Amino acid sequence: MTKHSSTGTGLARLSLGLGALSLVLILFFAAAARSHSAETASDKFLANVPAPVPSAGSLANAPAPIATDVSSSAPAVPATEVQPQHPRFPTSEAREVKRGEFGSWRYSATRFGDGAVAASVSANIDTVQALRVYAADNRALAGELAQQGGEARVDVSFRTYLSPDQFRAWVLKNGLHVTQVIIRITDANGPDITAAHLVRPDDTDPLPASSVADLVNNPGGVGPFTLRGIYSARGIAAADKLPQIAADPLVFVADVTTSVTARELKKSGFGDVNLDFVLVDSSPFFEMERLGLSNFEK
């Protein structure tokens, strides 16, 4: 649903009708907006842009994601995932050039007239068993990538919400260079708010306390908010660290499908694919909540 730059302190802040606060992606949503009556207050992220690769026409005309300024008077809207800043897609004709099927997940790749390649990854995550298979498949892929060396991008979804202190300790333990942190807070009037904290390359703290304080005590007059915690993070890791990250008891899935997709495309003769153009379905955390987090405790 909604993923890079930040201001001096590297904070992503809520903007609630007070003018744009620097380079932030925030999405307000009411959990009740979901069509599944049995679902909880957490809507499903439609993740990092679309599941299928957009058609040649739609993708060619798609603008780069920008920070969203949410007015305090705006009505609650269906949940949409905090989305990262990606470079613009090429604006030339495109056609699908390759697909890959890997059991629990798949990708589709599109090549543009200027030679640039984009790909979209989707997965089967609609049941408890399907989610467990997907997590297991990614653990196996992490082991394969570790053997190949280098670095890889990984999208981590935790088994439950982590506190800021828990999250910082987890990052330190696992050596992940974090680029994005997904945080959930609750509005005093009920709707959940999902925000992305975007980490600059030179930031030494993946989630400064001042960032969390600014988010919770938002100056827009709608807060203060209640912090529910961190449930997902994206980053770059040394490939030999991936099995450790995937096996960490706090982690449900360390998703490496975008890195695997990029490597598959390179082996197929498409060269080095920009990972910013390899898009993956959002964190499965919303499905985990819908199905009950107790099913994913271990």
Side-chain angles (χ1 to χ4, degrees):
M1 289 179 10
T2 89
K3 193 18 315 23
H4 258 289
S5 64
S6 60
T7 57
T9 56
L11 312 179
R13 305 176 181 222
L14 289 175
S15 175
L16 297 169
L18 296 181
L21 292 177
S22 299
L23 307 166
V24 171
L25 300 154
I26 307 268
L27 290 171
F28 280 76
F29 57 88
R34 282 190 66 92
S35 59
H36 300 291
S37 60
E39 294 197 15
T40 65
S42 308
D43 271 285
K44 178 182 177 181
F45 265 155
L46 289 180
N48 284 331
V49 199
V53 169
S55 66
S58 63
L59 188 54
N61 296 319
I66 57 175
T68 302
D69 183 9
V70 183
S71 169
S72 58
S73 61
V77 297
T80 304
E81 182 175 355
V82 179
Q83 182 175 307
Q85 291 277 11
H86 293 295
R88 288 184 180 276
F89 282 102
T91 56
S92 53
E93 258 185 61
R95 62 187 178 87
E96 186 179 65
V97 291
K98 188 171 177 61
R99 291 189 178 201
E101 291 282 345
F102 296 86
S104 64
W105 66 281
R106 67 208 58 81
Y107 75 83
S108 175
T110 297
R111 171 174 261 166
F112 296 84
D114 58 6
V117 175
S120 177
V121 177
S122 58
N124 304 325
I125 56 171
D126 56 348
T127 67
V128 172
Q129 181 59 25
L131 279 160
R132 288 175 175 165
V133 169
Y134 185 55
D137 286 351
N138 271 280
R139 285 193 294 272
L141 291 172
E144 293 177 14
L145 289 173
Q147 295 298 315
Q148 297 174 25
E151 292 184 330
R153 188 172 77 183
V154 57
D155 292 272
V156 175
S157 293
F158 298 104
R159 295 182 184 275
T160 190
Y161 294 102
L162 303 188
S163 70
D165 286 343
Q166 279 182 300
F167 176 71
R168 293 186 199 99
W170 181 87
V171 171
L172 183 63
K173 172 186 173 183
N174 289 283
L176 182 67
H177 177 72
V178 178
T179 57
Q180 173 182 283
V181 186
I182 304 297
I183 306 165
R184 184 80 58 78
I185 57 179
T186 301
D187 185 279
N189 297 318
D192 278 347
I193 300 167
T194 297
H197 172 70
L198 308 177
V199 186
R200 300 184 309 182
D202 59 345
D203 285 342
T204 57
D205 188 339
L207 187 61
S210 57
S211 175
V212 177
D214 286 347
L215 188 63
V216 172
N217 299 317
N218 136 71
V222 178
F225 300 106
T226 299
L227 176 69
R228 296 189 69 184
I230 296 97
Y231 67 86
S232 181
R234 167 173 290 182
I236 303 296
D240 61 5
K241 284 277 190 180
L242 293 174
Q244 172 186 320
I245 293 172
D248 188 283
L250 294 178
V251 173
F252 173 67
V253 59
D255 191 330
V256 294
T257 55
T258 55
S259 290
V260 172
T261 296
R263 296 192 185 198
E264 287 291 315
L265 291 173
K266 183 174 183 177
K267 286 193 298 184
S268 297
F270 293 99
D272 290 317
V273 177
N274 186 342
L275 272 174
D276 285 323
F277 289 152
V278 183
L279 311 177
V280 64
D281 280 356
S282 69
S283 166
F285 194 83
F286 281 94
E287 288 294 339
M288 293 165 62
E289 280 193 315
R290 180 181 69 83
L291 294 164
L293 290 180
S294 61
N295 290 306
F296 308 99
E297 290 177 349
K298 58 182 180 178

